[in-house]
């Protein structure tokens, strides 16, 4: 396997590991596990997100840009981001954040968008075209990542039992606003993909 694809694979493997790391304290109610997870969630997610840069960097540097890589990279991004958004539906501090940070409607809309985008990629591949990430998709991904880190910062503070109760309502509203922006950007970029590759889809 090419080095660039190994970095992409790392994100795919990381997604379920992060899911367990996030939810284990919630499942067990263990305060110590919650504190440990609070200390490692953000650094590990940052490392996972760095692999997105590394896979592209080494693919271009080594001339490893392939149609497979153009499909594998966004697949890994979707795996990681949807995992993060599932986590955003829940909080260890259930008494303070009973319904999580991300509205369910936002998650469902993003889920539909990502599944639809993956379907369009498969249709394009069947016509001999690999759809690489476009600028709108990259901007959307930046907001996905920003929203995820913001949510994790709040959740980590709560797991460490820091006194942020007075700021919590405002912080949660900010998180919701970020996730709503994510939904808007995801559909704007989706429309751009459809418009740009309309001929490929019509050919099918």
């Amino acid at each position: 396997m090419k080095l660039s694809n190994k970095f992409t694979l790392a994100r795919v493997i990381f997604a379920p590991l992060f899911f367990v790391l996030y939810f284990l304290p919630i499942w067990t109610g263990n305060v110590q596990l919650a504190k440990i997870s609070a200390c490692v969630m953000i650094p590990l997610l940052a490392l996972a997100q760095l692999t997105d840069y590394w896979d592209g960097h080494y693919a271009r540097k080594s001339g490893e840009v392939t149609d497979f890589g153009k499909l594998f990279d966004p697949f890994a991004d979707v795996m990681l981001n949807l995992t993060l958004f599932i986590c955003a539906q829940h909080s260890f501090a259930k008494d303070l954040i009973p319904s999580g940070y991300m509205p369910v409607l936002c998650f469902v809309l993003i889920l539909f968008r990502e599944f639809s985008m993956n379907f369009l990629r498969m249709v394009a591949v069947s016509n001999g075209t690999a759809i690489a990430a476009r600028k709108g998709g990259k901007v959307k991904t930046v907001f996905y990542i920003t929203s995820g880190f913001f949510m994790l910062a709040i959740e980590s503070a709560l797991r460490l039992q820091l006194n942020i109760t007075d700021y919590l309502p405002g912080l949660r509203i900010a998180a919701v606003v970020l996730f709503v922006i994510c939904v808007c950007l995801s559909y704007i970029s989706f429309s751009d993909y459809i418009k740009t590759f309309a001929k490929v889809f019509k050919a099918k």
Side-chain angles (χ1 to χ4, degrees):
M1 179 181 285
K2 300 181 188 303
L3 179 61
S4 56
N5 289 336
K6 288 181 180 179
F7 282 124
T8 305
L9 179 61
R11 287 204 303 289
V12 174
I13 296 173
F14 178 82
L17 294 179
F18 184 83
F19 179 85
V20 173
L21 174 66
Y22 188 92
F23 277 99
L24 195 58
I26 296 175
W27 293 334
T28 62
N30 190 298
V31 175
Q32 283 304 116
L33 281 177
K35 291 182 178 179
I36 293 172
S37 66
C39 294
V40 299
M41 284 190 301
I42 291 179
L44 285 180
L45 182 61
L47 180 61
Q49 295 292 359
L50 275 175
T51 65
D52 192 20
Y53 165 76
W54 289 333
D55 63 18
H57 172 74
Y58 283 104
R60 291 185 293 272
K61 182 179 180 180
S62 306
E64 298 177 354
V65 178
T66 62
D67 287 346
F68 174 77
K70 291 178 182 178
L71 293 174
F72 194 30
D73 180 62
F75 170 77
D77 289 342
V78 169
M79 282 279 290
L80 182 58
N81 289 324
L82 288 184
T83 298
L84 186 58
F85 291 161
I86 290 173
C87 294
Q89 308 295 301
H90 305 271
S91 172
F92 181 75
K94 296 179 182 178
D95 54 330
L96 297 175
I97 311 289
S99 57
Y101 304 92
M102 184 180 193
V104 175
L105 179 60
C106 288
F107 175 76
V108 171
L109 289 173
I110 287 177
L111 185 69
F112 288 168
R113 185 272 185 194
E114 297 298 344
F115 279 5
S116 299
M117 191 65 226
N118 280 342
F119 174 74
L120 293 183
R121 290 184 189 279
M122 289 187 291
V123 172
V125 166
S126 70
N127 281 290
T129 300
I131 299 178
R134 289 177 56 78
K135 184 177 180 180
K138 292 178 180 179
V139 172
K140 174 265 303 179
T141 299
V142 168
F143 270 86
Y144 277 15
I145 295 170
T146 301
S147 301
F149 276 117
F150 186 75
M151 177 275 293
L152 283 180
I154 302 171
E155 179 67 13
S156 296
L158 291 174
R159 294 188 182 199
L160 291 171
Q161 299 180 342
L162 300 182
N163 186 18
I164 63 168
T165 306
D166 293 341
Y167 309 101
L168 205 51
L171 290 172
R172 188 177 182 278
I173 290 173
V176 171
V177 170
L178 283 173
F179 285 126
V180 169
I181 293 174
C182 286
V183 173
C184 295
L185 290 177
S186 71
Y187 278 89
I188 290 172
S189 67
F190 185 58
S191 299
D192 176 58
Y193 281 111
I194 293 177
K195 180 180 179 181
T196 303
F197 295 95
K199 293 182 179 179
V200 176
F201 303 140
K202 288 179 180 179
K204 199 66 180 175

